[in-house]
Amino acid sequence: MGHVAYFDAASTEPLHPQAREALLTAIDAGWADPARLYNQARRAHLLLEQARAEVAEALGARPDEVSFASSGTQAVHLGMLGTLHGRRRAGRHLVTSAVEHSSVLHAAQAHERDGGTAETVGVSLTGRVDLDAFRAAVSREGTALACLQTANHEVGTLQPVAEAAEACRRHGVPLFVDAAQTAGRLPVPAGWSVLAASAHKWGGPAGVGVLAVRKGTRFRSFLPEDERERRRVPGFENVPAVVAAAAALRAVTAEAESERTRLSALVDRIRETVPQVVPDVEVIGEPVERAPHIVTFSCLYVDGEALLTELDRAGFAVSSGSSCTASTLRPSHVLEAMGVLTHGNVRVSLPRGASAAEVDRFLAVLPDAVRRIRQDAGVA
C-alpha cells in the first residue's frame, strides 16, 4: 500500500517532535511528587509551574487560572459541573448548543438527573448556533451557565463565541467554552469564563486536559476535596506529560498562522473538488468561517463505514461524523441538528505538515472508491 496519509487530526494530532523530546527529558527530571519539599520534588514543581505558565499564555489566561486534568473530557465535566455547583444559588438552568461535543451533552444530562434544567439551542444548516436564540436563552432568569464550542469537531464550523460571551456578560452568566478543536490553531475568542482543551488535539501526549477558570467565576468542585490543582482536579499530576503538552502548544502556536493559511488552502481544494468529481455529494459546514483543517462531506447511496474501509485500504486514515455503524446504530447528533445528509459521511482533518501531494492523491482515489461501493449496492 505504501505511505499512509493520516487525515484524522480532529481526533488526535500526531505527537509533535518537540513534545516527544520534552517528554523524554521530563521523565527523568520530573518524576517526583511536585507537592513535596525535597530537591527532586522542587524540580518537578518547577517544571509543572513553568508548563502551566506557558499553557496559560497561549490560551490568554493567568497561570493560577489553569489546572491540568487527565483528559479534555474530564476537563469539560469538571468545568461544567463545578461551575454549575458553584452557582446553585444563582439558578440551575443550563444552556448549550445542539452541536456541542458529547462530553458537554453528557455533563448536561448529569445536571438534569441532579434536578437541574437544560436548554438546547438549535443551529443553522451550516452548523452555526442561532445567536438570537442563544441570547434569549441566557437572558432567562435562573440561568447558571451557558456552553459554546469554538469550532465544531465534526464539520469545523466556527461558532460566534465573542458575541455569545457579550450576551452572557450582560446577563451575568458565565460562558463555558470547549476550545479543543482550535487551541494552538486559532486565537482563543475573548469573553470566556471557563475553558477546556485537550493536549492531544494540538500534538501533545494523550492524557492531558486543560481546565481554565477565570478569576471571579464562582466554581466549586462537586467531587470530594483534594488539595491538588487549585482544588479543581483531584489526583497526582502527570508532570512529564504536562511538560510535553506545553512544549507542543508552544511550538504549534509559533507556527499557527503560516500552517493555518497552508492547511486552509488545502481544505478549500477538497471542498471545491469533491463535488466536481463525485456525483450526489454534499459538502457540509461553513465554507469560510471554519476551522482551517477540517472538511466534511456526505455521499448519497454510500455506507459510511464501507467508504472509510475502502479509503483505509487505499492508504488514507479518515473518520466519519455520522457514526452510523453497528456500535451506535444512529447517526451523529451534530449532523441531525444541522439537518444535513448523514449517509456516507467522511471527515477529513489535516494534521500539521499534511502535503498537497497527499490531498491530490486523496482526490484522485475518492471517486473510484465511491463508485465501487455504489456499484456493490446496486445504485451506480
Side-chain angles (χ1 to χ4, degrees):
M1 181 178 65
H3 173 72
V4 175
Y6 179 78
F7 285 175
D8 195 23
S11 293
T12 189
E13 179 85 10
L15 191 66
H16 196 286
Q18 291 193 28
R20 181 187 301 277
E21 182 180 339
L23 180 64
L24 293 174
T25 301
I27 285 173
D28 292 331
W31 55 267
D33 184 348
R36 304 305 171 197
L37 296 178
Y38 40 81
N39 181 57
Q40 297 96 324
R42 291 199 304 273
R43 186 167 52 194
H45 177 77
L46 185 63
L47 288 171
L48 177 63
E49 295 311 312
Q50 183 178 339
R52 194 187 312 278
E54 291 173 356
V55 170
E57 182 180 4
L59 298 178
R62 290 170 31 160
D64 60 352
E65 293 173 333
V66 171
S67 299
F68 295 109
S70 64
S71 67
T73 293
Q74 189 194 41
V76 166
H77 292 166
L78 294 175
M80 286 180 61
L81 297 177
T83 308
L84 287 165
H85 190 47
R87 284 180 47 81
R88 285 176 76 102
R89 290 184 180 179
R92 304 216 59 204
H93 189 58
L94 170 68
V95 175
T96 72
S97 87
V99 294
E100 296 300 307
H101 190 270
S102 58
S103 59
V104 171
L105 302 184
H106 292 157
Q109 291 165 5
H111 173 63
E112 288 182 293
R113 288 193 298 269
D114 190 41
T117 57
E119 180 175 356
T120 303
V121 179
V123 298
S124 69
L125 194 64
T126 62
R128 193 171 170 89
V129 72
D130 183 333
L131 193 54
D132 288 338
F134 195 91
R135 289 183 176 121
V138 300
S139 71
R140 294 194 173 91
E141 190 173 350
T143 301
L145 179 66
C147 303
L148 189 62
Q149 60 193 185
T150 54
N152 186 259
H153 49 292
E154 291 188 18
V155 301
T157 296
L158 293 178
Q159 299 294 354
V161 172
E163 294 91 332
E166 177 57 27
C168 289
R169 187 194 62 77
R170 281 200 306 271
H171 297 288
V173 175
L175 179 65
F176 172 88
V177 170
D178 170 14
Q181 285 301 332
T182 59
R185 297 181 186 274
L186 292 168
V188 178
W192 57 269
S193 302
V194 184
L195 178 143
S198 186
H200 72 93
K201 304 287 189 183
W202 68 59
V208 179
V210 176
L211 171 61
V213 181
R214 285 283 193 217
K215 284 292 182 187
T217 303
R218 293 190 66 85
F219 181 94
R220 184 181 177 190
S221 177
F222 60 96
L223 295 173
E225 187 80 4
D226 191 278
E227 300 294 327
R228 293 179 185 267
E229 290 303 296
R230 277 67 177 173
R231 303 179 187 270
R232 298 182 196 127
V233 183
F236 194 102
E237 299 93 344
N238 185 345
V239 176
V242 166
V243 169
L249 185 57
R250 185 175 63 244
V252 299
T253 300
E255 63 190 17
E257 189 172 350
S258 60
E259 189 68 352
R260 180 164 68 238
T261 301
R262 196 182 69 80
L263 293 182
S264 191
L266 294 177
V267 164
D268 281 340
R269 188 185 305 178
I270 297 172
R271 292 185 66 92
E272 293 164 8
T273 306
V274 167
Q276 296 171 4
V277 298
V278 179
D280 299 313
V281 70
E282 180 181 15
V283 180
I284 297 168
E286 280 283 345
V288 178
E289 295 296 316
R290 56 171 176 77
H293 61 305
I294 300 175
V295 55
T296 301
F297 54 88
S298 295
C299 305
L300 198 60
Y301 315 122
V302 170
D303 175 74
E305 193 172 3
L307 183 53
L308 299 192
T309 302
E310 192 75 18
L311 289 170
D312 182 46
R313 193 176 293 125
F316 294 95
V318 299
S319 66
S320 174
S322 69
S323 301
C324 201
T325 65
S327 62
T328 61
L329 299 179
R330 61 163 296 170
S332 149
H333 72 276
V334 170
L335 302 182
E336 282 187 328
M338 293 169 62
V340 297
L341 186 66
T342 62
H343 294 94
N345 181 265
V346 174
R347 179 186 69 183
V348 174
S349 48
L350 303 179
R352 175 187 55 83
S355 71
E358 290 173 326
V359 169
D360 288 342
R361 188 167 72 87
F362 175 79
L363 292 171
V365 163
L366 180 67
D368 284 339
V370 173
R371 186 162 45 248
R372 281 194 297 272
I373 295 169
R374 286 174 173 166
Q375 285 176 343
D376 291 344
V379 294

